[in-house]
């Protein structure tokens, strides 16, 4: 009999007639648990509880918020190994990656615990005599957070922590593929002393729970990370119901490798950026843009390195690449490998489904060479262990190729030239630029987000998170 996991609504755990199995993608015979599916009534109860709690939490002082957020950070750290294992088990990241992500979630709460003490306003003289003006930040109210499966604790943390720090109440709806870490986060927040209703967890589908959140009048703002199509739908729904909205969506991030790059470093950036976490990151480097003088050497060295990577059970030591998160993700990646071959790109290695010891969604890392900008494998986000190399004739051509995309999240360059790195930093149409670093893997205390089709609305993370999670109040005081 699998363990049952309930939603957390108005300070209570609430079950449901309808539940889904959370499966281990490394071994689909391993059922992690049965997770409650929120109904529209549950959504209503959670949002109403959040709205009620908002009356006191929105005016709670920094001391109380700091205490709660610090306790959450410590609560996550105390369960770091266990939750890292759970994360790897439900999502398919390797165990070290899972533990690293859990630590990051704790750091995010710790950072925003500090932000509760640093919230500042401004005081300005009026243009009229005997008037003073105060500009202060106030919470937005009730925030609905809709989070993806690929960072099942870091992203719930980086939406929940700033929301709470700035005095909002939260209704979190994690993705159904991997709800276990969000459930654990709810346990930790409940134990950290957040007053009832301040934080609510609603597990469930986008079609039922997500839809009800978007429709609900009690939700003031929606923050979403996920696919472009869902993001676009959410933006239009939020326009219709007048909610503040923040979207983090896809990426098709370029990693440029120039002739003067350190080859070993460039290969490591590509392996990490394109294939770690099984390529299931919106910051993944799925377009490798390589200058002609280093082109063949880079492809040979990368293919050699990929041949040495162990694909297998995310929970086993020594595994580098875990499974895809579910059957549809595996199918999507394998379909794109077929598309790439049909489009005429050269499949250098990988792309095969692999049998593990147990039934799971395994695939070897796929590398395409001689790809061109018109190909679908270069234009569309694959979200799996597939990368395509394009040849650039020189630096300017490489920059043009890097920017030839609908997305603009992260852009990387490997070069030993300070001048070219600096020129790339200026020219890249992306929210984040990485020099001699993988395009994926970001700090928790600085803004995260992109341009063009990747992001919409204010940045996440760091002190800039206040842009989304607060609203300005301008007060005129006559004296
Ligand atoms: C990272 O690269 O460290 O969904 C974070 C994603 C991003 C997070 C990436 N929102 O992949």
């Amino acid at each position: 009999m699998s363990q049952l996991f309930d939603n957390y609504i108005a300070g209570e755990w609430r079950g449901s007639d309808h539940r889904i199995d959370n499966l281990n993608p490394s071994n689909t015979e391993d059922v992690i648990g049965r997770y409650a599916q929120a109904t529209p009534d549950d959504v209503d109860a959670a949002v109403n509880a959040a709205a009620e709690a908002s009356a006191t939490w929105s005016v709670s002082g920094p001391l109380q918020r700091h205490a709660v957020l610090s306790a959450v950070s410590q609560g996550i750290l105390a369960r770091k190994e266990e939750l890292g294992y759970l994360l790897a088990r439900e999502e398919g990241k390797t165990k070290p990656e899972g533990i690293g992500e859990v630590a990051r979630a704790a750091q995010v709460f710790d950072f925003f615990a500090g932000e509760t003490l640093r919230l500042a306003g401004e005081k300005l003289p009026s243009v009229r005599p005997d008037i003073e003006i105060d500009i202060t930040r106030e919470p937005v109210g009730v925030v609905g957070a809709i989070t993806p499966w690929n960072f099942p604790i870091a992203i719930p943390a980086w939406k929940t922590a700033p929301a709470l720090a700035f005095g909002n109440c939260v209704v979190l709806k994690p993705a159904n593929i991997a709800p276990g870490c969000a459930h654990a986060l709810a346990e930790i927040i409940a134990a950290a002393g957040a007053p009832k209703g301040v934080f609510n967890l609603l597990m469930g589908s986008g079609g039922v729970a997500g839809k009800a959140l978007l429709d609900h009048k009690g939700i003031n703002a929606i923050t979403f990370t996920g696919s472009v199509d869902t993001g676009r739908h959410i933006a239009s729904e939020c326009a219709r119901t007048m909610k503040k909205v923040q979207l983090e969506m896809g990426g098709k991030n370029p990693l440029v490798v120039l002739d003067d790059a350190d080859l070993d470093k460039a290969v490591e950036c590509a392996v990490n950026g394109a294939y770690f976490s099984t390529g299931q990151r919106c910051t993944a480097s799925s377009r490798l843009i390589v200058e002609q003088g280093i082109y063949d050497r880079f492809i040979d060295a990368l293919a050699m390195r990929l041949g040495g990577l162990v694909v297998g059970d995310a929970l086993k030591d020594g595994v580098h690449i875990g499974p895809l998160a579910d059957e549809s993700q595996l199918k999507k990646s394998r379909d794109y490998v077929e598309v790439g071959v049909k489009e005429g790109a050269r499949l250098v290695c990988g792309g095969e489904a692999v049998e593990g010891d147990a039934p799971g969604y395994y695939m070897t890392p796929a590398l395409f060479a001689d790809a061109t900008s018109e190909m679908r494998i270069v234009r569309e986000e694959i979200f799996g262990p597939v990368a395509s190399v394009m040849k650039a004739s020189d630096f300017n051509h490489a920059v043009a190729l890097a920017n030839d995309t609908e997305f603009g999240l992260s852009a990387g360059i490997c070069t030993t030239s300070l001048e070219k790195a600096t020129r790339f930093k200026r020219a890249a149409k992306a929210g984040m630029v990485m020099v001699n670093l993988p395009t994926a893997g970001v700090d928790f205390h600085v803004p995260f987000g992109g341009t063009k089709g990747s992001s919409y609305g204010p940045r996440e993370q760091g002190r800039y998170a206040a842009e989304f999670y607060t609203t300005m109040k301008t007060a005129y005081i006559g004296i």
Side-chain angles (χ1 to χ4, degrees):
M1 199 42 203
S2 321
Q3 201 178 335
L4 303 183
F5 293 91
D6 293 342
N7 283 315
Y8 187 63
I9 299 169
E12 277 163 21
W13 297 98
R14 190 186 288 194
S16 171
D17 293 340
H18 183 39
R19 291 179 184 271
I20 53 137
D21 287 343
N22 183 5
L23 298 183
N24 174 354
S26 298
N27 173 7
T28 52
E29 284 161 4
D30 174 25
V31 181
I32 296 159
R34 311 208 67 219
Y35 289 73
Q37 297 291 283
T39 62
D41 281 350
D42 291 332
V43 174
D44 197 42
V47 176
N48 291 340
E52 213 172 291
S54 181
T56 45
W57 184 252
S58 63
V59 292
S60 59
L63 195 62
Q64 187 184 5
R65 291 184 209 160
H66 182 270
V68 169
L69 288 159
S70 290
V72 174
S73 175
Q74 282 154 24
I76 295 171
L77 276 185
R79 293 175 64 180
K80 190 172 87 172
E81 301 286 322
E82 172 220 333
L83 294 183
Y85 181 89
L86 170 66
L87 201 164
R89 187 175 166 210
E90 71 171 346
E91 197 270 349
K93 243 171 240 199
T94 64
K95 219 171 17 162
E97 287 174 325
I99 292 170
E101 186 183 327
V102 172
R104 194 204 290 203
Q107 287 161 333
V108 168
F109 271 94
D110 187 49
F111 175 83
F112 283 105
E115 283 300 276
T116 63
L117 302 167
R118 285 189 285 265
L119 192 62
E122 274 183 280
K123 192 166 191 78
L124 267 70
S126 169
V127 293
R128 292 170 281 162
D130 294 337
I131 295 176
E132 291 186 356
I133 300 175
D134 281 348
I135 305 169
T136 49
R137 286 191 182 273
E138 297 198 334
V140 178
V142 178
V143 174
I146 302 176
T147 57
W149 47 264
N150 67 327
F151 282 86
I153 193 155
I155 295 180
W158 87 39
K159 294 187 187 302
T160 301
L164 297 181
F166 298 127
N168 303 283
C169 293
V170 173
V171 179
L172 168 66
K173 194 206 86 62
N176 255 345
I177 293 183
C181 287
H183 186 277
L185 181 63
E187 288 171 352
I188 292 166
I189 294 174
K196 95 176 193 200
V198 165
F199 174 85
N200 303 269
L201 173 75
L202 293 174
M203 299 173 292
S205 67
V208 176
K211 181 180 182 309
L213 269 182
L214 293 177
D215 283 341
H216 206 293
K217 289 199 170 59
I219 295 274
N220 305 104
I222 292 278
T223 173
F224 165 81
T225 300
S227 72
V228 176
D229 286 348
T230 308
R232 197 166 281 155
H233 171 70
I234 288 177
S236 70
E237 286 299 285
C238 287
R240 186 175 63 80
T241 57
M242 297 296 230
K243 293 176 177 42
K244 196 170 180 181
V245 66
Q246 174 184 59
L247 309 172
E248 291 297 344
M249 299 167 287
K252 196 72 198 175
N253 309 291
L255 176 69
V256 170
V257 179
L258 296 183
D259 285 349
D260 64 15
D262 174 325
L263 181 62
D264 292 343
K265 210 178 251 179
V267 168
E268 280 320 299
C269 287
V271 169
N272 178 321
Y275 300 104
F276 284 1
S277 300
T278 324
Q280 302 180 119
R281 293 189 280 191
C282 57
T283 45
S285 334
S286 47
R287 295 186 300 135
L288 307 173
I289 298 163
V290 185
E291 208 177 349
Q292 52 186 344
I294 198 173
Y295 189 80
D296 292 332
R297 274 184 298 142
F298 175 81
I299 290 171
D300 288 349
L302 180 55
M304 178 91 97
R305 180 80 170 76
L306 293 181
L309 294 180
V310 179
V311 177
D313 189 329
L315 297 172
K316 285 208 177 126
D317 290 339
V319 166
H320 302 109
I321 311 274
L324 280 293
D326 76 356
E327 196 174 357
S328 65
Q329 295 301 323
L330 174 63
K331 182 171 181 321
K332 188 173 168 205
S333 283
R334 299 219 54 223
D335 286 352
Y336 269 112
V337 172
E338 249 175 63
V339 167
V341 171
K342 280 206 192 104
E343 286 178 316
R346 171 162 61 94
L347 182 60
V348 179
C349 61
E352 299 117 29
V354 214
E355 298 277 317
D357 298 338
Y361 305 118
Y362 302 109
M363 172 180 151
T364 52
L367 178 65
F368 280 107
D370 309 338
T372 57
S373 252
E374 309 74 52
M375 293 179 176
R376 283 181 58 205
I377 52 166
V378 170
R379 303 219 74 81
E380 297 169 16
E381 186 176 46
I382 299 175
F383 222 65
V386 184
S388 306
V389 189
M390 289 186 281
K391 192 185 277 186
S393 48
D394 58 17
F395 173 78
N396 287 337
H397 184 213
V399 172
L401 287 173
N403 285 336
D404 183 9
T405 169
E406 285 172 28
F407 296 104
L409 189 55
S410 178
I413 187 164
C414 291
T415 176
T416 48
S417 157
L418 177 62
E419 184 217 323
K420 284 182 176 149
T422 308
R423 278 168 54 198
F424 182 78
K425 191 184 80 177
R426 287 190 189 173
K429 303 265 184 285
M432 298 175 292
V433 174
M434 309 288 186
V435 177
N436 294 320
L437 290 168
T439 55
V442 299
D443 282 11
F444 59 86
H445 68 308
V446 289
F448 177 93
T451 60
K452 299 198 271 183
S454 290
S455 305
Y456 187 81
R459 287 284 185 266
E460 299 199 90
Q461 303 223 79
R463 63 190 164 86
Y464 295 86
E467 298 294 322
F468 178 71
Y469 292 99
T470 64
T471 180
M472 306 306 304
K473 177 170 278 177
T474 311
Y476 295 80
I477 303 137
I479 48 172

